[in-house]
Amino acid sequence: MAERNRKKSNPFHFLTKKFPKRMQKKLVMLFMAIVLAFVVLIGRITYINVFKGGRYTKIVLDQQLYDSRTIPYKRGDIVDRNGTKIATSERVYNVILDVVVMTDGDDSPYVEPTIDMLEECFGIDSKDVREIIAENPQSRYQVLKKGVTYEEAQAFREIEKDTEKYPNIKGIWLEDDYTRTYPYGSLASDLIGFTVSGNQGALGLESAYNTILNGTDGREYGYFDSASTVEQTVKPAKNGNTVVSTIDVTLQSIVEKAIKEFNEEHAGEVREGEPGSQNTAVVMMDPNTGEILAMASYPNFDLNNPRDLSAWYSEEKLKEMSEEEQLEAMNELWRNFVVSDAFEAGSTIKPFTLAAGLEIGALTGEETYYCGGGLQEGEWFIRCHNTDGHGTQTTDQAIANSCNVALMQMAKKIGVENFTRYQHIFGFGEYTGIDLPGEADTSGLIYTADNMIETDLVTNSFGQNFNATMIQVAAGFSSLINGGYYYEPHVVKQIQDENGNVIETKDPILLRKTISSETSKKIKQGLRLVLTEGTGTGASVEGYDIGGKSGTAEKLPRGNDEYLISFIGYAPQENPEIVIYAVIDEPNVEDQGKSSYVIELSRKIMEESFPYLNITKTGATLPSEDAGVSDDVIQAFDSEYTDPYDHEDGAYIDETYQPDYDDWAATEQLEE
């Protein structure tokens, strides 16, 4: 009994007979050490599981990952104001090869049939596939071809289903993707822009609203769980938002058709092998909101193939051109003339001069002026376009007949300080803030009160010797005829999500009041007279009360007979609803300074667009053929006059502006 109790009290009693006491002691210590190690290990495992289990679980899952693929988002659409798609992303497919599944060991029965199918179905060279297999034997994801159409994808799926005819097709699957397309081709090309490198906007709306149009890729993960069962986790893609523009596709089409007809009609007329002008551009604007309804320039380009120069250069010429020359040609083609180029605007500036004088009280509108064909200013004799003189002119007649002499006298009354101040009030020398990239910086293209002399003052009064952009003239002119309200021009109305829900509305932004409503009414009287008796009678459209102003500017250097002609008009006379501004830079005709070319272009656009816009008809009749002056021809200086303002040419290009697509074009333009 005592022996049994002694064994119970000594847990190591079994050692006493087999091992000596010294050895027994060592074994006991070893056993205790092992027990202690287990205790520590269990504690550590418990700590890791409680405090760091999530992180280690992720590591394990990452190691167990056997398949992962990106789910591409769909870039948002760009639509016109009526919801018509002008830029969209279409579903396409990428052909993906899983080399491991296809080879399935050294003697796989799948390799040859699958390679044959790839060549037959997708036109993928068998040699290329074999190289991929050899170089990437363990790859689960190899892109063989991108941009496969829906029809091609359907043909492949039919092959997949027909296991009797095609029993050994393995390791091929189709990945969803999108490609950017433009349903209207070249329509509004420099306004819409295009994408490069997938979903990066290069210019226009595609660039300005790039982050809004882009979404976020999704992801699909596949892995083995602890029981070696396949588990999948899907994080869906978030598609981009839709940009609703202010553009109207119908109006844009009307504008571009008229521009194209003019350029085709006069192509090669004087300058052989060239279109009807260096540039022809039109902007159509709602004067009461700042919304741009149409914006176009010519030459334009195909948005679906923006690097293609074949429409403008012969095959022989393209072969002769270096990469740098082709890059330069593309940049010129992609440039948005309406916002990126500045020029001397000519007589379209005259209403601004009159408005400034009326607003500060230097003029009453009841003055008369005598024009004898020119005015001596210091040592210079500055001519009117009517070198015989207009005789006595009222303020309204001075605008209607585009009398330089009358405007010069008005400017003298206004003075340098007020004249330069009002140039900024009307937006000249300022950014308009239009939501498009590449707006020209014109801050250095107008005089200041400190550097303007009297000669500069009088020549600025009729639109010579300072530069402006089309969008500046259009926005400022809108304030002249809408009661004095200067709205920020813009080309986007709304941002919608992919389901059409409005998430942001771009309300009109009133930036400032330029003139009073009384001054605006007085200005419109003269502008109406332009179309009934003055230089713009050719722009009249039966049934509509239209006001406007033509302009002709001789480009620098003077004396080369190179001109930029323009016309800006609005309708109806009371409560104007639309402003249309057209510019033809160096028309390819014998007499470039003949404004009838741009007046006819404007009339064609107004004839088609006014009925579509439901512009109020007033029953106005066309002016008689002998009414007024038929051509607002030459706004010239004395032949020996030296312009002190140093521009290299009349259509100034802002040298500081560099589009963000230059690097792309330089590296990729000749790949295709």
Side-chain angles (χ1 to χ4, degrees), residues 165-177:
K165 187 175 180 181
Y166 302 96
N168 293 321
I169 305 299
K170 298 289 183 182
I172 301 298
W173 54 282
L174 299 180
E175 175 185 67
D176 291 349
D177 201 358

Side-chain angles (χ1 to χ4, degrees), residues 625-645:
E625 291 184 6
D626 60 351
V629 180
S630 59
D631 291 318
D632 177 15
V633 253
I634 302 175
Q635 305 279 339
F637 308 122
D638 185 273
S639 60
E640 296 181 356
Y641 177 78
T642 301
D643 190 341
Y645 208 52

Side-chain angles (χ1 to χ4, degrees), residues 61-363:
L61 289 176
D62 286 344
Q63 292 173 340
Q64 290 180 335
L65 189 69
Y66 81 93
D67 183 31
S68 172
R69 71 179 183 92
T70 298
I71 303 175
Y73 65 83
K74 179 185 178 184
R75 185 174 171 92
D77 294 335
I78 301 175
V79 302
D80 85 335
R81 63 190 304 111
N82 302 311
T84 303
K85 291 182 181 180
I86 51 181
T88 189
S89 293
E90 292 185 352
R91 176 69 64 84
V92 291
Y93 305 88
N94 300 329
V95 181
I96 308 300
L97 170 63
D98 186 328
V99 179
V100 174
V101 171
M102 180 188 185
T103 53
D104 191 29
D106 296 333
D107 299 321
S108 171
Y110 310 125
V111 174
E112 294 304 323
T114 304
I115 289 177
D116 291 342
M117 183 278 300
L118 287 170
E119 190 159 24
E120 176 187 340
C121 192
F122 300 113
I124 301 172
D125 195 313
S126 59
K127 181 182 177 182
D128 295 337
V129 180
R130 295 183 196 282
E131 287 179 0
I132 290 173
I133 295 171
E135 294 172 3
N136 307 275
Q138 299 302 315
S139 176
R140 308 301 302 263
Y141 182 92
Q142 289 291 319
V143 181
L144 299 181
K145 187 176 182 179
K146 289 187 174 184
V148 168
T149 65
Y150 174 80
E151 289 74 20
E152 291 175 305
Q154 286 299 101
F156 168 70
R157 287 176 178 133
E158 291 300 319
I159 289 175
E160 271 191 314
K161 292 177 184 177
D162 193 351
T163 54
E164 292 186 7
K165 187 175 180 181
Y166 302 96
N168 293 321
I169 305 299
K170 298 289 183 182
I172 301 298
W173 54 282
L174 299 180
E175 175 185 67
D176 291 349
D177 201 358
Y178 295 93
T179 186
R180 200 66 168 166
T181 61
Y182 303 90
Y184 290 89
S186 61
L187 190 78
S189 56
D190 46 10
L191 182 142
I192 297 171
F194 55 91
T195 60
V196 296
S197 302
N199 284 314
Q200 178 60 48
L203 66 152
L205 288 172
E206 292 279 29
S207 174
Y209 287 86
N210 187 64
T211 56
I212 290 172
L213 289 164
N214 276 345
T216 306
D217 283 336
R219 198 81 176 172
E220 181 179 356
Y221 303 92
Y223 59 89
F224 293 107
D225 63 11
S226 57
S228 295
T229 302
V230 175
E231 296 287 345
Q232 284 188 316
T233 299
V234 177
K235 179 185 177 183
K238 183 182 184 301
N239 293 332
N241 294 318
T242 295
V243 170
V244 182
S245 73
T246 59
I247 300 300
D248 187 305
V249 163
T250 300
L251 293 174
Q252 186 75 26
S253 300
I254 291 170
V255 166
E256 295 199 16
K257 182 183 73 170
I259 289 175
K260 185 178 180 182
E261 286 175 354
F262 169 82
N263 278 274
E264 289 180 346
E265 180 182 351
H266 300 287
E269 190 168 313
V270 176
R271 300 183 298 273
E272 189 176 349
E274 293 187 18
S277 66
Q278 291 295 319
N279 252 304
T280 305
V282 174
V283 60
M284 190 179 290
M285 184 173 179
D286 183 338
N288 304 304
T289 63
E291 291 184 355
I292 305 298
L293 304 180
M295 180 185 288
S297 63
Y298 187 95
N300 54 11
F301 59 94
D302 184 357
L303 289 167
N304 293 304
N305 193 8
R307 292 177 291 174
D308 182 15
L309 296 172
S310 61
W312 310 110
Y313 298 91
S314 66
E315 186 176 346
E316 293 75 16
K317 179 63 176 176
L318 286 172
K319 289 179 180 178
E320 294 173 3
M321 295 170 70
S322 65
E323 291 186 19
E324 292 75 17
E325 288 173 330
Q326 290 194 31
L327 171 60
E328 183 179 351
M330 278 187 273
N331 283 340
E332 285 299 313
L333 196 60
W334 297 337
R335 192 178 184 88
N336 188 338
F337 184 88
V338 175
V339 300
S340 297
D341 287 46
F343 50 86
E344 292 182 334
S347 293
T348 54
I349 298 301
K350 290 175 179 175
F352 293 94
T353 301
L354 175 58
L358 293 171
E359 195 64 19
I360 66 172
L363 305 174

Side-chain angles (χ1 to χ4, degrees), residues 561-580:
D561 291 328
E562 293 178 345
Y563 292 87
L564 181 144
I565 56 177
S566 60
F567 178 82
I568 189 164
Y570 64 91
Q573 174 70 7
E574 299 300 324
N575 303 315
E577 300 172 33
I578 189 70
V579 167
I580 299 174

Side-chain angles (χ1 to χ4, degrees), residues 335 337-346 349 419-420 423-424 427-431 438-449 451-452 456-457 459-461 463-473 556 558 643-657:
R335 192 178 184 88
F337 184 88
V338 175
V339 300
S340 297
D341 287 46
F343 50 86
E344 292 182 334
I349 298 301
F419 188 90
T420 54
Q423 279 187 316
H424 285 282
F428 302 117
E430 308 282 343
Y431 285 111
E439 184 175 5
D441 178 4
T442 61
S443 58
L445 302 180
I446 63 172
Y447 289 97
T448 67
N451 64 15
M452 177 180 273
D456 305 324
L457 172 64
T459 55
N460 272 216
S461 72
Q464 294 269 18
N465 207 14
F466 82 93
N467 287 20
T469 64
M470 284 189 71
I471 197 63
Q472 285 176 330
V473 175
L556 294 174
R558 315 292 186 197
D643 190 341
Y645 208 52
D646 184 22
H647 303 315
E648 291 184 359
D649 54 47
Y652 176 81
I653 293 179
D654 177 20
E655 299 296 341
T656 64
Y657 168 56

Side-chain angles (χ1 to χ4, degrees), residues 486-525:
Y486 187 102
Y487 287 95
E488 183 178 76
H490 59 285
V491 292
V492 170
K493 284 175 66 73
Q494 289 180 343
I495 306 298
Q496 299 177 353
D497 65 18
E498 60 178 307
N499 298 315
N501 301 309
V502 177
I503 58 178
E504 183 181 357
T505 298
K506 304 285 186 179
D507 294 319
I509 298 176
L510 178 62
L511 294 180
R512 56 187 172 272
K513 193 82 158 63
T514 59
I515 56 175
S516 66
S517 58
E518 291 77 14
T519 298
S520 178
K521 288 178 183 177
K522 183 62 178 173
I523 294 299
K524 287 197 294 180
Q525 289 178 19

